[in-house]
């Protein structure tokens, strides 16, 4: 209750303005357990300092260490978490969106920081979000060295929040991956996504919740679970898989398939003069992608530029390395397949061409 509502002369306090410092302190206490689990040997200090610390002397083993940085959020997928009142998975999405951008250049993720903005601090909810972030950091092999929880009453509703994060990684200069390594004759290897990941949710929410009028607790036989459970499936974290691949075989480039879809993200690493052809016939997207297209009466170009269509990460490797790459990924439990090839661009203006049709 607003203590000044009935008395305009009463002193204004921070609490009466909607900010609960005690609740924030309790949230910090609750999250400490999870942050402790997301550490590396180079992590220094503890939760509660003004800055996170990481022992950079670990970089001395590099001849020429290049630091890589990335920042991202989860987007409107948080609206699904809020409606379902399930908050311990969205943090894994956040970590995935950051570390899988870092690993594209071959960088090992070292540490992350997070930013959680809430309309009202619910300590258990904030702790659940941090739990997901910490679990994501463990899966990515990086440390969670700090973060910020900000209470913004009036800007966000009491049950609304948003999350963002930033990460830092390192790669040896002569092992930097990217477009300059790609050659004609290389092959395109697709790695399966865990589902929608964390892009296109404005579209997905409009299709399922508004246009089709489905409820989040609706059982969907094609999904084998409820709509809400499908939509909240955490984004796959590929960083350790990609690093293992780069250690065990020759890799020329990675591409993280996020907003814009497969073709647009793959095009970001294709150099001038070369061209990637990707054959849809090499994989069948999960049922959620077909359902989105059918319920939204969407044409293929529209859905392909919004969703990952079942591919979360791409590796470009020499043709002779394809079998070894697939074996490494299979050993790590990553479904992967050769989906295309790199050729000379010739007269074609575009960097990537999608051909064929997905199997029925």
């Amino acid at each position: 209750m607003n203590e000044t509502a009935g008395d305009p002369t009463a002193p204004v306090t921070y609490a009466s303005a909607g900010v609960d410092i005690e609740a924030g302190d309790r949230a910090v206490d609750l999250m400490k357990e999870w942050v402790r689990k997301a550490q590396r040997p180079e992590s220094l200090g503890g939760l509660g300092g003004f800055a996170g610390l990481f022992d950079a002397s670990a970089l001395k083993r590099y001849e020429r260490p290049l630091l890589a940085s990335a920042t991202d959020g989860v987007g409107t997928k948080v609206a699904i978490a809020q409606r379902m009142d399930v908050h311990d998975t969205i943090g894994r999405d956040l970590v995935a969106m950051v570390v899988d951008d870092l690993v594209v250049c071959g960088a090992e993720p070292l540490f992350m920081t997070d930013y959680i903005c809430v309309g009202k601090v619910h300590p258990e909810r904030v702790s659940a979000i941090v739990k997901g972030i910490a679990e994501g950091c463990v899966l990515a092999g990086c440390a969670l060295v700090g973060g910020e929880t900000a209470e913004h009453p009036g800007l966000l509703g009491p049950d609304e929040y948003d999350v963002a994060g930033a990460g830092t990684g390192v790669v040896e200069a002569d092992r930097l991956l990217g477009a300059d390594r790609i050659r004609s004759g290389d092959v395109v290897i697709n790695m399966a996504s865990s589902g929608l990941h964390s892009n296109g949710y404005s579209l997905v929410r409009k299709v399922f919740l508004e246009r089709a009028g489905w409820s989040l607790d609706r059982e969907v036989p094609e999904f084998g679970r409820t709509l809400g459970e499908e939509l909240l499936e955490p984004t796959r974290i590929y960083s350790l898989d990609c690093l293992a691949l780069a250690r065990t075989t020759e890799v020329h480039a990675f591409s993280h398939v996020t907003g814009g879809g497969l073709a647009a993200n793959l095009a970001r690493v294709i150099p001038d003069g070369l061209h990637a052809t990707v054959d849809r016939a090499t994989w069948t997207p999960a049922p959620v992608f077909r359902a989105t297209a059918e319920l939204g009466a969407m044409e293929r170009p529209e859905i392909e530029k919004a969703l990952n269509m079942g591919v979360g990460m791409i590796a470009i490797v020499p043709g002779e390395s394809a079998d070894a790459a697939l074996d490494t990924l299979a050993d790590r439990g990553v479904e992967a397949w050769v989906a295309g090839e790199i050729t000379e661009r010739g007269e074609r203006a575009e960097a990537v061409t999608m051909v064929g049709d997905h199997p029925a």
Side-chain angles (χ1 to χ4, degrees):
M1 181 178 178
N2 188 333
E3 64 199 57
T4 66
D7 183 0
T9 65
V12 175
T13 65
Y14 215 0
S16 72
V19 177
D20 189 338
I21 294 177
E22 288 74 19
D25 291 341
R26 173 165 166 72
V28 171
D29 288 337
L30 290 174
M31 70 177 71
K32 284 181 178 179
E33 170 192 355
W34 305 112
V35 175
R36 279 195 295 268
K37 295 180 179 180
Q39 299 300 302
R40 288 174 50 122
E42 303 93 341
S43 304
L44 298 176
L47 196 65
F50 285 91
L53 298 175
F54 191 88
D55 186 356
S57 65
L59 304 184
K60 290 180 179 179
R61 69 178 186 270
Y62 290 83
E63 291 292 326
R64 185 188 170 200
L66 301 181
L67 293 180
S69 66
T71 185
D72 212 333
V74 177
T76 62
K77 189 172 184 175
V78 297
I80 304 297
Q82 291 163 15
R83 288 183 60 165
M84 294 184 66
D85 196 23
V86 175
H87 311 284
D88 62 351
T89 63
I90 207 74
R92 284 174 58 183
D93 293 287
L94 177 63
V95 174
M97 299 308 290
V98 173
V99 300
D100 287 342
D101 276 356
L102 290 174
V103 81
V104 162
C105 68
E108 175 190 359
L110 297 176
F111 57 84
M112 271 194 67
T113 56
D114 64 63
Y115 176 74
I116 305 171
C117 181
V118 302
K120 178 178 175 58
V121 172
H122 300 281
E124 289 75 14
R125 181 178 300 169
V126 172
S127 177
I129 296 170
V130 174
K131 172 179 179 286
I133 297 172
E135 290 175 341
C137 285
V138 171
L139 291 172
C142 69
L144 179 60
V145 298
E148 170 73 6
T149 300
E151 194 170 23
H152 288 177
L155 182 63
L156 296 172
D159 293 324
E160 294 178 337
Y161 62 82
D162 198 9
V163 295
T168 298
V170 62
V171 59
E172 189 69 75
D174 64 6
R175 298 186 65 82
L176 185 69
L177 303 180
D180 62 314
R181 290 179 177 259
I182 297 176
R183 300 290 184 267
S184 180
D186 287 353
V187 297
V188 176
I189 293 179
N190 287 355
M191 301 180 214
S193 67
S194 58
L196 294 168
H197 285 185
S198 297
N199 296 102
Y201 271 76
S202 295
L203 167 70
V204 169
R205 290 186 300 116
K206 184 173 184 65
V207 168
F208 285 106
L209 305 183
E210 296 181 26
R211 178 164 180 152
W214 288 13
S215 63
L216 291 172
D217 60 1
R218 178 189 178 114
E219 292 285 345
V220 185
E222 306 97 291
F223 301 166
R225 52 185 170 179
T226 67
L227 173 63
E229 289 168 337
E230 180 70 31
L231 299 189
L232 267 195
E233 177 67 35
T235 304
R236 178 155 196 158
I237 296 174
Y238 299 92
S239 57
L240 293 182
D241 303 316
C242 290
L243 291 172
L245 188 59
R247 285 195 304 270
T248 58
T249 191
E250 185 176 356
V251 176
H252 288 166
F254 289 114
S255 175
H256 187 197
V257 182
T258 57
L262 189 156
N265 282 285
L266 180 55
R268 295 167 67 178
V269 299
I270 303 299
D272 291 341
L274 294 182
H275 177 266
T277 302
V278 178
D279 188 355
R280 300 183 186 91
T282 59
W283 82 97
T284 301
V288 67
F289 298 101
R290 185 183 301 274
T292 304
E294 291 178 352
L295 292 172
M298 298 178 64
E299 298 293 333
R300 184 159 66 189
E302 185 65 26
I303 195 168
E304 285 188 342
K305 72 181 182 183
L307 305 180
N308 67 60
M309 299 305 293
V311 180
M313 182 70 76
I314 296 171
I316 299 178
V317 307
E320 62 271 18
S321 299
D323 288 343
L326 292 175
D327 287 343
T328 294
L329 292 171
D331 288 344
R332 298 186 60 83
V334 180
E335 181 184 358
W337 60 95
V338 174
E341 62 180 347
I342 306 297
T343 58
E344 299 294 332
R345 188 172 301 191
E347 298 298 320
R348 290 169 294 202
E350 69 277 7
V352 177
T353 299
M354 304 284 291
V355 300
D357 297 308
H358 296 299

